[in-house]
Amino acid sequence: MKKLSGDVYYPSEDILNNAIVKDWNEMDKFASENLEGFWAKEAEELEWFEKWDKVLDDTKKPFYKWFTGAKTNIAYNCLDVHLKTYRKNKVALIWEGEKGESRIFSYFALHREVSRFANVLKSLGVQKGDRVTLYMGRIPELAMGMLACARIGAVHSVVYGGFSVESLHERLEDSHSKVLIVCDGAYQRGKIIPLKAIADEALQRAASVESVLVVKRTGEPVNMEFGRDIWYHELVNLPIINSKNDIEKVDAEDPLFMLYTSGTTGKPKAILHTHGGYMVGTYSTFKYVFDINDEDRYWCAADPGWVTGHSYIVYGPLLNGATSMMYEGAPNYPFPNRWWQIIEKYGITILYTAPTAIRGLMRFGEAWPNRHDLSSLRILGSVGEPINPEAWRWYHRVIGKNNCPIMDTWWQTETGSFMITPMPCMPLKPGSGTKPFPGLKMDILDEAGNPVKDNEEGFLVIKTPWPAMMRTIYKDPDKYIEKYWSKYDGMYLTGDSAKRDEDGYYWIIGRTDDVLKVSGYRLGTAEIESALVSHPAVAEAAAIGLPHELKGNAIHTFVILKSGFEKSEKLREDLIYHVGHEVGPIAKPESVEFVDVLPKTRSGKIMRRVLKARALGEDPGNISTLEE
Ligand code: PRX
């Protein structure tokens, strides 16, 4: 193996001998020379009701299409196909509640529950192409609801349970959802988040929703609106609901889901993914990166409400017939050993989580993990934000006992599947996601579009299409072109800055736009600002992200009050509460500073860069466009 520069962790003999991919270079060469052939070979491992005419159709780029002419259904490949094999009796989903109760579903049982769920949706009049919003805690019914939508060709739109009234309202309205699936409440750190009550408030602002399907989780009393709200358990247990549900044979390019994500300006946008390409992309990346085999017990600790949960709790693992774990609660509740307990209890072999969680658990010291038998682990994963080398090394040494390679996977809601990622056979460098997935061509460019030199920072772009790529922004194809495909001709702009070292390894630095990663969650400064100005006391507001030891970034805000309002500690607290109530607790600002003016360009745009430089005590750079 070639000697690489810097701090390098080479794979063990054991890993090299047993991994599915033993020679990454060979695989990359094959995929690079024949991109369509590579993906066709992957697609052939899945089932199609009708085969494709074309693997990649780039006639209308950047509106790429994959596997055109094919008919399939991702839910069929996640469940039905496994019932024809020994996997029928294999565990598909292990769920553990915050209080320690567990529910375990074989592929047979999960298929049955999803089919029944699909029949419930049909009984509510949901048809192919209809949008269904899910606003739930981390419980099996969330995965079942997603798969049930897919099964009947409906489009799911999952709204993370940590979002609140206005975020939910915006997403319901934009997607024009017919049905909302919600839990009565969700447990978090022993408390109950009243999801149904939040939804009721959002529904007062949203008109399209005809039915609200309520899944009982906490048993706390909720308001049920006659004619609109119905309990899931009541409906699913009616004699008319059985477990026979004919799968909808959809086109490969039919929409599977939309997922709202924050961009630079304005409201969150709905990223649209389709059945065929997304299925092939998540299937292959999951298989190779986590080197999945039948004995594995895989746990992705993300929330299904974000893309990581979609691709790598639900779809990727089930497509591979793997055993996937879902845990309801927080990593350190009631004690900081909660996760280590789970790994030991279920014999987890692959753990996939975010740097913020690792940093948080690191803080409690080694004694907590050392109290548990973590020897079942063989591969670790990281996602969501750059992992600092210190956290990487801790994760590797204390959790992985120096035996488990760490797959630091860089990707986005938009990319659907892993983009820059190691495979277990590759030498690793703490803090780098290594190289683009086989067949992908990426680059780092300067403002003018020239590739930067090794170890210089620039804009990260993707130069080849890939199957799981987003197809468009729902209802806004122009924005899709403008946001992602117009800075550099024919290249996908990621919004991240990065460096590439002399070994061709990529190092992600962070966002180049006004997107913030707070504890790995993606938020836009615009959402926080519009929540602030929706408060009666606020005239103008600006939000920036500043480095934070645990969260990666923390939100700091600057507020100009309307005349007649006085700044006070009480008002500051009110504003923080208001952002939490409108956007969600994850968006609560760390600080609110009352100011008289905000730095703006002459055309009236807030110069957040100037605020950030001031807060960090740095030089704001070019301020020639700053208003007097
Ligand atoms: O900035 C990058 C960061 O997360 C952004 C995408 O956020 P989201 O769409 O919410 O998807 C997160 C989960 C895939 C990226 O633009 N990011 C994601 N993974 C990494 C990362 N930054 C550094 N290293 C990663 N492994």
Side-chain angles (χ1 to χ4, degrees):
M1 202 166 269
K2 192 183 146 207
K3 184 120 181 60
L4 304 180
S5 64
D7 182 18
V8 186
Y9 289 63
Y10 290 92
S12 67
E13 281 300 313
D14 190 39
I15 283 170
L16 277 179
N17 293 335
N18 295 310
I20 300 177
V21 180
K22 297 185 175 62
D23 186 341
W24 183 89
N25 290 311
E26 191 185 9
M27 185 173 180
D28 184 49
K29 185 165 180 288
F30 171 65
S32 301
E33 285 169 1
N34 184 359
L35 188 69
E36 290 185 48
F38 173 80
W39 286 112
K41 193 163 160 284
E42 292 302 312
E44 272 154 18
E45 294 179 11
L46 297 158
E47 273 198 38
W48 304 79
F49 303 120
E50 278 173 39
K51 209 175 162 176
W52 51 88
D53 308 318
K54 255 183 129 183
V55 175
L56 169 64
D57 176 354
D58 59 2
T59 47
K60 295 208 175 74
K61 59 187 176 194
F63 296 97
Y64 291 94
K65 290 180 177 173
W66 286 83
F67 308 104
T68 48
K71 289 224 180 279
T72 188
N73 187 306
I74 194 169
Y76 183 82
N77 275 289
C78 283
L79 297 170
D80 303 55
V81 296
H82 303 307
L83 302 195
K84 301 180 208 166
T85 72
Y86 63 91
R87 285 185 180 143
K88 178 176 175 180
N89 299 318
K90 181 178 168 177
V91 174
L93 184 67
I94 303 174
W95 174 82
E96 176 149 320
E98 191 174 84
K99 294 176 173 168
E101 69 273 48
S102 63
R103 293 167 72 190
I104 295 178
F105 300 86
S106 64
Y107 272 91
F108 177 82
L110 190 59
H111 175 268
R112 180 192 62 223
E113 295 308 315
V114 169
S115 301
R116 276 152 47 92
F117 209 129
N119 286 332
V120 165
L121 293 177
K122 277 190 161 174
S123 77
L124 294 174
V126 178
Q127 292 173 356
K128 181 171 182 238
D130 285 344
R131 274 82 56 215
V132 173
T133 294
L134 296 92
Y135 179 60
M136 303 166 81
R138 277 194 289 261
I139 58 171
E141 283 75 7
L142 175 49
M144 289 170 190
M146 290 162 69
L147 289 158
C149 286
R151 218 184 146 78
I152 62 174
V155 183
H156 59 73
S157 168
V158 179
V159 177
Y160 169 57
F163 277 128
S164 197
V165 181
E166 185 51 28
S167 305
L168 176 60
H169 159 241
E170 259 171 17
R171 287 159 174 77
L172 282 170
E173 188 153 282
D174 185 75
S175 62
H176 218 79
S177 286
K178 193 169 190 174
V179 170
L180 168 67
I181 311 175
V182 64
C183 303
D184 50 357
Y187 286 109
Q188 208 197 21
R189 295 176 189 280
K191 293 205 191 85
I192 289 174
I193 305 174
L195 294 182
K196 174 66 168 65
I198 297 171
D200 285 338
E201 206 178 326
L203 285 162
Q204 283 170 13
R205 307 179 192 177
S208 69
V209 176
E210 292 169 14
S211 316
V212 178
L213 196 56
V214 190
V215 178
K216 188 175 261 181
R217 167 64 186 125
T218 65
E220 290 289 301
V222 293
N223 159 56
M224 296 291 280
E225 192 174 304
F226 183 72
R228 185 195 70 184
D229 303 352
I230 184 151
W231 286 105
Y232 175 72
H233 64 269
E234 286 181 4
L235 208 47
V236 78
N237 289 318
L238 287 180
I240 50 158
I241 302 293
N242 59 22
S243 53
K244 190 177 157 356
N245 174 270
D246 292 332
I247 196 100
E248 184 77 36
K249 296 178 178 173
V250 299
D251 283 339
E253 282 293 314
D254 273 341
L256 166 65
F257 69 83
M258 46 212 264
L259 190 55
Y260 285 84
T261 193
S262 303
T264 313
T265 48
K267 293 185 172 183
K269 47 195 190 306
I271 305 300
L272 193 78
H273 284 286
T274 55
H275 273 256
Y278 176 81
M279 171 170 87
V280 176
T282 51
Y283 166 73
S284 304
T285 49
F286 182 76
K287 175 179 59 174
Y288 294 130
V289 172
F290 289 126
D291 186 48
I292 199 75
N293 51 56
D294 251 333
E295 295 74 35
D296 278 315
R297 291 181 151 220
Y298 160 86
W299 178 22
C300 166
D303 193 284
W306 299 84
V307 74
T308 309
H310 282 55
S311 301
Y312 299 109
I313 296 178
V314 181
Y315 291 114
L318 297 179
L319 287 166
N320 279 277
T323 298
S324 187
M325 161 101 210
M326 188 195 283
Y327 168 59
E328 184 180 39
N332 55 353
Y333 183 85
F335 298 108
N337 66 333
R338 192 69 180 95
W339 274 17
W340 320 130
Q341 225 174 22
I342 290 175
I343 290 170
E344 180 170 354
K345 176 170 172 188
Y346 296 104
I348 298 298
T349 58
I350 304 167
L351 172 67
Y352 184 37
T353 183
T356 187
I358 299 162
R359 289 192 296 263
L361 290 165
M362 213 170 124
R363 217 171 29 142
F364 297 110
E366 294 176 29
W368 289 101
N370 287 346
R371 208 171 278 164
H372 295 274
D373 178 6
L374 305 181
S375 61
S376 56
L377 287 172
R378 64 180 197 95
I379 294 176
L380 301 173
S382 173
V383 62
E385 53 174 320
I387 180 164
N388 45 313
E390 193 198 351
W392 195 102
R393 290 193 192 97
W394 187 85
Y395 195 27
H396 190 262
R397 180 177 58 82
V398 180
I399 307 307
K401 313 293 175 204
N402 295 317
N403 270 326
C404 306
I406 298 176
M407 303 298 106
D408 177 2
T409 61
W410 176 90
W411 58 296
Q412 308 176 301
T413 308
E414 292 88 338
T415 70
S417 62
F418 302 150
M419 292 283 110
I420 298 174
T421 175
M423 289 187 198
C425 64
M426 292 167 82
L428 304 172
K429 301 188 189 188
S432 166
T434 73
K435 297 182 177 187
F437 191 79
L440 273 178
K441 293 283 157 280
M442 299 182 65
D443 213 339
I444 300 170
L445 307 179
D446 66 14
E447 189 61 47
N450 305 308
V452 299
K453 295 201 191 84
D454 283 354
N455 296 311
E456 274 180 18
E457 185 175 345
F459 297 96
L460 181 68
V461 296
I462 309 177
K463 294 157 75 174
T464 33
W466 64 100
M469 64 198 300
M470 71 186 289
R471 294 303 190 263
T472 189
I473 295 176
Y474 179 67
K475 292 197 301 198
D476 205 346
D478 293 341
K479 198 162 191 183
Y480 169 66
I481 296 182
E482 179 205 314
K483 284 276 312 160
Y484 300 103
W485 298 95
S486 51
K487 188 170 171 89
Y488 305 113
D489 194 31
M491 293 182 219
Y492 170 88
L493 184 72
T494 62
D496 278 13
S497 65
K499 291 181 188 176
R500 190 175 42 213
D501 69 15
E502 50 284 2
D503 296 317
Y505 275 43
Y506 284 72
W507 301 76
I508 304 294
I509 296 162
R511 299 290 307 189
T512 57
D513 52 13
D514 292 318
V515 169
L516 304 178
K517 292 297 275 193
V518 181
S519 301
Y521 295 122
R522 179 163 162 181
L523 292 167
T525 52
E527 285 151 87
I528 298 150
E529 290 162 4
S530 70
L532 282 169
V533 294
S534 74
H535 189 280
V538 177
E540 286 186 69
I544 58 168
L546 294 177
H548 185 278
E549 210 185 323
L550 287 181
K551 299 177 181 176
N553 284 289
I555 303 164
H556 294 264
T557 60
F558 303 85
V559 164
I560 303 179
L561 293 177
K562 284 186 187 154
S563 62
F565 288 90
E566 287 294 318
K567 55 184 177 185
S568 69
E569 199 43 46
K570 162 91 179 48
L571 182 55
R572 194 194 312 274
E573 279 165 22
D574 267 6
L575 292 177
I576 294 173
Y577 170 83
H578 181 72
V579 175
H581 180 262
E582 291 295 303
V583 187
I586 47 165
K588 278 189 181 173
E590 198 84 359
S591 76
V592 177
E593 190 177 327
F594 296 110
V595 293
D596 297 325
V597 282
L598 286 168
K600 285 188 191 160
T601 61
R602 279 178 214 107
S603 57
K605 274 197 197 152
I606 295 171
M607 293 180 83
R608 296 188 189 82
R609 168 171 74 78
V610 174
L611 287 169
K612 201 167 165 173
R614 195 195 68 155
L616 294 171
E618 288 171 358
D619 174 11
N622 181 358
I623 50 166
S624 60
T625 57
L626 191 68
E627 176 187 60
E628 283 306 305

